[in-house]
Amino acid sequence: MQPFTLRTPRLLLDELRADDAQAVYDYCQDPEFEKYLTIPWPYHLSDARYFITEYVPRGWASGEELSWGLRTPAGDLVGVVGLRSKLGRFDIGFWLGAQHRGHGYMPEAVRAVLDWAFSTGFADEISWECIAGNLASASVARKLGFTFGGVRPSVLPARDGSHPESWHALLRASDDRSLKPGWPLPAPGAAPAPGSTPAPGATPAPGAAQNEGDTHR
Ligand SMILES: CC(C)(COP(=O)(O)OP(=O)(O)OC[C@H]1O[C@@H](n2cnc3c(N)ncnc32)[C@H](O)[C@@H]1OP(=O)(O)O)[C@@H](O)C(=O)NCCC(=O)NCCS
């Protein structure tokens, strides 16, 4: 499959380029990424280069993982979204650089990917999962209309090959995108409880192993 671009009101989703490696490296020093993603840890500049120049192009070529860089109108890379179709299902993964969170970029970007996937018939349903307790990720999935499906081991192996307790959700092409009940989250728009942290089970995360499956999610 040839890489293609998607647009949202505030973002361009396009190819990752070799000169994004430094930004990817910088963002991937975030301890949240150690907890919730499967990226190599510690994360080196060579990991970012490998991700951009080898892993991502291979995913596009096979159609098994479509990855986009999220850019502001100024062209700055703020994060990555990936839609993958390995393991017999489609699933969505994403991250934002810490300084770009809290602006609603991720729901906006993922919505564009979902709309493309469903409107073209590329996917009929898309799964989402996160390490149990990753409230920010779950909030994105809830906003997009995913239906919470419960807590069970991750489908995607963590960095150490384990399958930690994870939250699961599903969105079907035929679903409306309204907020669904049943999420283990504060009411939409409610401030996080003082001192709350993304908590239980916050161990290494969904996604595949370092070499074959360095999904950066
Ligand atoms: C997941 C991610 C992309 C979300 O980005 P974002 O929408 O800008 O996220 P925010 O940090 O603004 O948080 C989103 C929501 O979670 C809530 N939230 C964040 N931390 C929280 C906490 N500790 N307790 C309760 N709620 C929390 C925010 O209040 C916000 O709620 P709102 O949407 O109702 O306003 C971003 O947090 C990220 O990149 N995290 C690290 C990588 C990761 O975990 N990726 C997903 C792997 S499955």
Side-chain angles (χ1 to χ4, degrees), residues 105-128:
Y105 283 151
M106 197 46 82
E108 184 175 317
V110 175
R111 190 172 292 117
V113 174
L114 299 173
D115 289 347
W116 169 79
F118 291 148
S119 67
T120 58
F122 184 75
D124 286 334
E125 55 181 45
I126 295 176
S127 300
W128 161 93

Short mmCIF file of all heavy atoms in Angstrom, two decimals, residues 105-128:
data_model
loop_
_atom_site.label_atom_id
_atom_site.label_comp_id
_atom_site.label_asym_id
_atom_site.label_seq_id
_atom_site.Cartn_x
_atom_site.Cartn_y
_atom_site.Cartn_z
N TYR A 105 -5.87 16.84 20.29
CA TYR A 105 -5.31 16.44 18.99
C TYR A 105 -5.58 14.97 18.68
O TYR A 105 -5.84 14.60 17.54
CB TYR A 105 -3.79 16.64 18.97
CG TYR A 105 -3.32 18.06 18.78
CD1 TYR A 105 -2.11 18.48 19.32
CD2 TYR A 105 -4.07 18.97 18.04
CE1 TYR A 105 -1.65 19.78 19.13
CE2 TYR A 105 -3.61 20.27 17.85
CZ TYR A 105 -2.40 20.66 18.40
OH TYR A 105 -1.94 21.94 18.21
N MET A 106 -5.47 14.11 19.72
CA MET A 106 -5.51 12.69 19.40
C MET A 106 -6.90 12.22 18.95
O MET A 106 -7.01 11.52 17.94
CB MET A 106 -4.97 11.86 20.57
CG MET A 106 -4.61 10.46 20.17
SD MET A 106 -3.64 10.34 18.63
CE MET A 106 -1.99 10.69 19.19
N PRO A 107 -7.98 12.60 19.65
CA PRO A 107 -9.29 12.20 19.12
C PRO A 107 -9.51 12.71 17.69
O PRO A 107 -10.05 11.99 16.85
CB PRO A 107 -10.28 12.84 20.10
CG PRO A 107 -9.51 13.03 21.37
CD PRO A 107 -8.09 13.28 20.95
N GLU A 108 -9.04 13.91 17.43
CA GLU A 108 -9.21 14.49 16.09
C GLU A 108 -8.46 13.65 15.04
O GLU A 108 -8.99 13.34 13.98
CB GLU A 108 -8.67 15.93 16.12
CG GLU A 108 -8.85 16.70 14.84
CD GLU A 108 -8.40 18.16 15.00
OE1 GLU A 108 -8.70 18.79 16.04
OE2 GLU A 108 -7.74 18.67 14.08
N ALA A 109 -7.25 13.27 15.36
CA ALA A 109 -6.44 12.51 14.41
C ALA A 109 -6.98 11.10 14.22
O ALA A 109 -7.11 10.61 13.09
CB ALA A 109 -4.99 12.46 14.90
N VAL A 110 -7.32 10.45 15.33
CA VAL A 110 -7.78 9.06 15.22
C VAL A 110 -9.13 9.01 14.49
O VAL A 110 -9.40 8.09 13.72
CB VAL A 110 -7.86 8.39 16.61
CG1 VAL A 110 -8.44 6.99 16.50
CG2 VAL A 110 -6.48 8.33 17.25
N ARG A 111 -9.96 10.02 14.73
CA ARG A 111 -11.26 10.06 14.02
C ARG A 111 -11.04 10.03 12.51
O ARG A 111 -11.76 9.34 11.78
CB ARG A 111 -12.03 11.32 14.44
CG ARG A 111 -13.47 11.32 13.96
CD ARG A 111 -14.26 12.49 14.56
NE ARG A 111 -14.45 12.33 16.00
CZ ARG A 111 -13.97 13.15 16.94
NH1 ARG A 111 -13.27 14.21 16.60
NH2 ARG A 111 -14.20 12.92 18.20
N ALA A 112 -10.05 10.75 12.04
CA ALA A 112 -9.78 10.78 10.59
C ALA A 112 -9.37 9.40 10.09
O ALA A 112 -9.77 8.97 9.00
CB ALA A 112 -8.70 11.81 10.29
N VAL A 113 -8.59 8.69 10.89
CA VAL A 113 -8.15 7.34 10.50
C VAL A 113 -9.35 6.38 10.50
O VAL A 113 -9.53 5.59 9.56
CB VAL A 113 -7.04 6.84 11.45
CG1 VAL A 113 -6.68 5.39 11.15
CG2 VAL A 113 -5.80 7.74 11.32
N LEU A 114 -10.17 6.47 11.52
CA LEU A 114 -11.35 5.60 11.59
C LEU A 114 -12.28 5.87 10.42
O LEU A 114 -12.79 4.94 9.78
CB LEU A 114 -12.12 5.84 12.91
CG LEU A 114 -11.37 5.58 14.22
CD1 LEU A 114 -12.21 6.03 15.40
CD2 LEU A 114 -11.01 4.10 14.35
N ASP A 115 -12.52 7.15 10.14
CA ASP A 115 -13.42 7.51 9.04
C ASP A 115 -12.89 6.95 7.72
O ASP A 115 -13.65 6.42 6.92
CB ASP A 115 -13.56 9.04 8.93
CG ASP A 115 -14.37 9.63 10.07
OD1 ASP A 115 -15.02 8.85 10.80
OD2 ASP A 115 -14.34 10.87 10.24
N TRP A 116 -11.58 7.08 7.53
CA TRP A 116 -11.00 6.55 6.29
C TRP A 116 -11.19 5.03 6.25
O TRP A 116 -11.65 4.47 5.24
CB TRP A 116 -9.52 6.90 6.19
CG TRP A 116 -8.90 6.13 5.08
CD1 TRP A 116 -8.97 6.39 3.74
CD2 TRP A 116 -8.19 4.88 5.20
NE1 TRP A 116 -8.35 5.40 3.02
CE2 TRP A 116 -7.87 4.46 3.89
CE3 TRP A 116 -7.81 4.09 6.28
CZ2 TRP A 116 -7.17 3.27 3.63
CZ3 TRP A 116 -7.12 2.90 6.03
CH2 TRP A 116 -6.80 2.51 4.72
N ALA A 117 -10.85 4.35 7.34
CA ALA A 117 -10.87 2.88 7.35
C ALA A 117 -12.28 2.34 7.12
O ALA A 117 -12.47 1.36 6.39
CB ALA A 117 -10.30 2.36 8.67
N PHE A 118 -13.27 2.97 7.74
CA PHE A 118 -14.64 2.48 7.61
C PHE A 118 -15.26 2.88 6.27
O PHE A 118 -15.96 2.10 5.64
CB PHE A 118 -15.49 3.00 8.77
CG PHE A 118 -15.14 2.40 10.12
CD1 PHE A 118 -15.28 3.14 11.29
CD2 PHE A 118 -14.67 1.09 10.23
CE1 PHE A 118 -14.96 2.59 12.53
CE2 PHE A 118 -14.35 0.53 11.46
CZ PHE A 118 -14.50 1.29 12.61
N SER A 119 -14.99 4.10 5.84
CA SER A 119 -15.66 4.57 4.60
C SER A 119 -15.11 3.85 3.37
O SER A 119 -15.80 3.72 2.37
CB SER A 119 -15.52 6.09 4.45
OG SER A 119 -14.16 6.40 4.23
N THR A 120 -13.87 3.39 3.45
CA THR A 120 -13.30 2.68 2.30
C THR A 120 -13.51 1.16 2.39
O THR A 120 -13.16 0.44 1.46
CB THR A 120 -11.77 2.91 2.23
OG1 THR A 120 -11.20 2.45 3.48
CG2 THR A 120 -11.43 4.38 2.01
N GLY A 121 -14.04 0.69 3.53
CA GLY A 121 -14.20 -0.75 3.70
C GLY A 121 -12.89 -1.45 4.06
O GLY A 121 -12.82 -2.67 4.07
N PHE A 122 -11.85 -0.67 4.38
CA PHE A 122 -10.57 -1.27 4.79
C PHE A 122 -10.77 -2.13 6.03
O PHE A 122 -10.18 -3.19 6.16
CB PHE A 122 -9.55 -0.16 5.04
CG PHE A 122 -8.17 -0.66 5.36
CD1 PHE A 122 -7.34 -1.17 4.36
CD2 PHE A 122 -7.67 -0.59 6.66
CE1 PHE A 122 -6.06 -1.62 4.66
CE2 PHE A 122 -6.38 -1.04 6.96
CZ PHE A 122 -5.58 -1.55 5.95
N ALA A 123 -11.60 -1.65 6.95
CA ALA A 123 -11.88 -2.39 8.19
C ALA A 123 -13.37 -2.31 8.50
O ALA A 123 -14.01 -1.30 8.18
CB ALA A 123 -11.08 -1.81 9.34
N ASP A 124 -13.90 -3.36 9.11
CA ASP A 124 -15.30 -3.36 9.57
C ASP A 124 -15.39 -3.04 11.05
O ASP A 124 -16.40 -2.57 11.54
CB ASP A 124 -15.94 -4.73 9.36
CG ASP A 124 -16.25 -4.95 7.90
OD1 ASP A 124 -16.43 -3.96 7.18
OD2 ASP A 124 -16.26 -6.13 7.48
N GLU A 125 -14.32 -3.38 11.75
CA GLU A 125 -14.28 -3.07 13.18
C GLU A 125 -12.83 -2.89 13.60
O GLU A 125 -11.93 -3.49 13.02
CB GLU A 125 -14.98 -4.14 14.02
CG GLU A 125 -14.46 -5.54 13.81
CD GLU A 125 -15.21 -6.56 14.66
OE1 GLU A 125 -16.45 -6.50 14.70
OE2 GLU A 125 -14.53 -7.40 15.29
N ILE A 126 -12.65 -2.04 14.58
CA ILE A 126 -11.29 -1.70 15.03
C ILE A 126 -11.24 -1.82 16.55
O ILE A 126 -12.10 -1.29 17.25
CB ILE A 126 -10.90 -0.29 14.54
CG1 ILE A 126 -10.83 -0.29 13.01
CG2 ILE A 126 -9.57 0.14 15.17
CD1 ILE A 126 -10.54 1.07 12.39
N SER A 127 -10.24 -2.53 17.02
CA SER A 127 -10.06 -2.71 18.46
C SER A 127 -9.12 -1.65 19.01
O SER A 127 -8.30 -1.08 18.28
CB SER A 127 -9.42 -4.08 18.74
OG SER A 127 -10.24 -5.11 18.27
N TRP A 128 -9.23 -1.45 20.27
CA TRP A 128 -8.29 -0.59 21.01
C TRP A 128 -8.01 -1.31 22.31
O TRP A 128 -8.89 -1.97 22.87
CB TRP A 128 -8.96 0.77 21.28
CG TRP A 128 -8.30 1.55 22.39
CD1 TRP A 128 -7.32 2.48 22.29
CD2 TRP A 128 -8.60 1.44 23.80
NE1 TRP A 128 -6.97 2.95 23.53
CE2 TRP A 128 -7.74 2.34 24.47
CE3 TRP A 128 -9.49 0.67 24.55
CZ2 TRP A 128 -7.75 2.48 25.86
CZ3 TRP A 128 -9.50 0.81 25.94
CH2 TRP A 128 -8.63 1.72 26.57
#
